[in-house]
Amino acid sequence: MHELAVTESLLEIAVRHAQENNARRISALYLVIGQWSSILDDSVQFYWDIISDGTIAKGATLHFRRVPVTLSCLDCGQEYQPTSVELVCPKCGSTRVKVKTGEEFQLEAIDVDE
Amino acid sequence: MPQRIPVVEKILSANDRLAVENQSRFNAANVFAINVMASPGAGKTSLIEQTVRGLQGRLRIGMINGDIATSFDADRAQAAGATAIQINTGGDCHLDAVMVQSALTQLDLASFDLVIIENVGNLVCPADFKLGTHKSVLVASIPEGDDKPYKYPGMYRGVNAVVINKIDLLPYVPFRMDFFKQGIEVLNPGVAQFELSCRTGEGLPGWLAWLEGQVKEFKQA
Ligand SMILES: Nc1nc2c(ncn2[C@@H]2O[C@H](COP(=O)(O)OP(=O)(O)OP(=O)(O)O)[C@@H](O)[C@H]2O)c(=O)[nH]1
Ligand SMILES: [Mg+2]
Ligand SMILES: [Zn+2]
């Protein structure tokens, strides 16, 4: 379980950006989590409620945007979503592919009150 | 009036910054560092023991072991001839840069050529937490099955070498090496791969030569 470490990091980033913008309160956080990046489960919200208490982010809502994996074939250009038993290009069988989406692990934005 | 502020910052940015500091400490002491990751029981400690023995008299090796509760693995590395210290993560499923930073205060870095960090046995979390090592190595093993790159792609994406351990068990366990390697090729094209057995010693020389070459290259840079 590393949701606690992740939650602490989130709080630090959100508060820093809010302060840089002279905000008094953070009301929402927007997270972007790719399917191939870390697994984050609902316990993030649980930890969040505890560690944001007493901060300007108390009570803020966490919004998760989950991004599926998209691969793009470097040989034939096909874009596809891999399965748990197949990664190669389904059209031409190439192993030369690029990961287009699915590795995001970011705090994209926050909502604040001035 | 609520207002939206764009942030676009990696969630583990604080850990990333500390990892950069750790790497500066390794660099200042002219020590090459690697992060060894794998599922529980794949053979991380066995590989480290064999590496310490195989490079005896050639490289001075320090070892940092992350374990949830015990010091068995650090003791094994010590017995093989390394200076080893233990970090008990207290239940955490991975090492992070803070834990390594505090471990570094207990090691006389300048007395080593190579520091090997054994991460906590886990195929998901350790990949996200950079430690500040120069290279990372994933140890896979035959009994785990040939589908692991497909199930844990995040782990295979970022590493610099994949060690395929326990090849002595190939006659007894179904394992499609082609399928396994095809997964690796898609996820991490051209990554160094070593098929070996820590039990019989088969394939170890190739791994040792690669590692020694990496250390030499680092020291010359
Ligand atoms: N047959 C066979 N067994 C091996 C080989 N390498 C390691 N083992 C065995 O696999 C088991 C686990 O090895 P360890 O080196 O402790 O694995 P580890 O990854 O450090 O395990 P944790 O630190 O507990 O996650 C031990 O019983 C080893 O003897 C090998 O090449 N062949
Ligand atoms: Mg071990
Ligand atoms: Zn194709």
Side-chain angles (χ1 to χ4, degrees):
Chain A
M1 291 298 286
H2 57 257
E3 274 75 8
L4 179 57
V6 165
T7 313
E8 286 168 342
S9 200
L10 268 181
L11 181 65
E12 184 268 325
I13 298 168
V15 169
R16 178 158 40 80
H17 283 267
Q19 284 168 347
E20 281 166 12
N21 287 276
N22 301 313
R24 282 184 300 107
R25 202 179 88 84
I26 301 170
S27 54
L29 282 76
Y30 297 88
L31 309 176
V32 187
I33 313 289
Q35 186 189 335
W36 273 4
S37 77
S38 187
I39 293 169
L40 279 190
D41 62 34
D42 295 345
S43 64
V44 171
Q45 184 73 56
F46 169 80
Y47 287 120
W48 177 259
D49 293 341
I50 296 169
I51 71 160
S52 66
D53 194 24
T55 75
I56 62 167
K58 179 181 163 63
T61 317
L62 301 181
H63 298 273
F64 292 88
R65 182 159 69 85
R66 311 236 174 220
V67 183
V69 174
T70 323
L71 303 181
S72 142
C73 178
L74 294 173
D75 286 322
C76 77
Q78 176 77 10
E79 282 194 9
Y80 61 101
Q81 302 194 333
T83 69
S84 60
V85 293
E86 192 70 286
L87 285 166
V88 301
C89 173
K91 199 168 157 201
C92 77
S94 172
T95 56
R96 297 188 341 109
V97 306
K98 190 166 151 271
V99 180
K100 286 198 68 179
T101 65
E103 296 196 297
E104 301 80 357
F105 195 56
Q106 285 187 345
L107 178 59
E108 197 171 44
I110 54 177
D111 283 346
V112 298
D113 294 326
E114 302 278 302
Chain B
M1 267 297 283
Q3 186 198 338
R4 181 148 316 169
I5 300 175
V7 175
V8 195
E9 187 165 324
K10 286 186 65 190
I11 289 174
L12 293 171
S13 58
N15 185 76
D16 291 351
R17 286 195 296 274
L18 251 187
V20 171
E21 281 178 31
N22 288 345
Q23 185 157 108
S24 304
R25 298 190 55 165
F26 288 124
N27 290 345
N30 201 23
V31 186
F32 187 72
I34 61 171
N35 174 13
V36 178
M37 301 178 283
S39 58
K44 298 176 291 298
T45 310
S46 303
L47 182 71
I48 293 167
E49 289 174 306
Q50 292 286 13
T51 303
V52 170
R53 292 207 183 93
L55 296 174
Q56 204 125 54
R58 303 176 70 85
L59 292 181
R60 299 164 301 161
I61 300 178
M63 190 258 202
I64 298 173
N65 175 254
D67 198 288
I68 288 179
T70 72
S71 71
F72 300 148
D73 290 357
D75 297 344
R76 283 167 60 189
Q78 193 99 30
T83 303
I85 61 163
Q86 175 70 31
I87 307 175
N88 285 130
T89 64
D92 262 336
C93 48
H94 59 273
L95 289 177
D96 64 25
V98 179
M99 296 179 208
V100 169
Q101 185 185 46
S102 72
L104 291 185
T105 63
Q106 302 170 50
L107 273 181
D108 176 18
L109 275 186
S111 66
F112 304 113
D113 304 302
L114 169 65
V115 167
I116 305 178
I117 303 180
E118 176 176 347
N119 217 311
V120 180
N122 183 322
L123 265 191
V124 180
C125 315
D128 293 324
F129 292 83
K130 295 195 184 107
L131 305 182
T133 52
H134 299 96
K135 294 280 152 87
S136 55
V137 177
L138 179 62
V139 182
S141 66
I142 301 304
E144 289 169 64
D146 53 24
D147 57 357
K148 290 303 163 288
Y150 301 83
K151 285 194 176 153
Y152 303 96
M155 247 352 231
Y156 282 83
R157 283 283 287 162
V159 297
N160 305 100
V162 177
V163 168
I164 306 168
N165 186 30
K166 310 195 188 184
I167 56 167
D168 57 292
L169 298 178
L170 277 171
Y172 312 105
V173 183
F175 190 95
R176 293 161 295 174
M177 189 62 85
D178 289 353
F179 178 67
F180 182 81
K181 291 195 150 192
Q182 189 173 66
I184 296 178
E185 191 50 36
V186 172
L187 295 168
N188 196 336
V191 68
Q193 296 176 33
F194 305 96
E195 296 172 40
L196 55 80
S197 165
C198 289
R199 176 124 184 239
T200 66
E202 187 184 350
L204 269 168
W207 154 254
L208 294 175
W210 179 83
L211 184 58
E212 199 178 4
Q214 295 287 315
V215 177
K216 284 223 174 85
E217 204 174 294
F218 167 78
K219 294 218 166 219
Q220 279 159 11

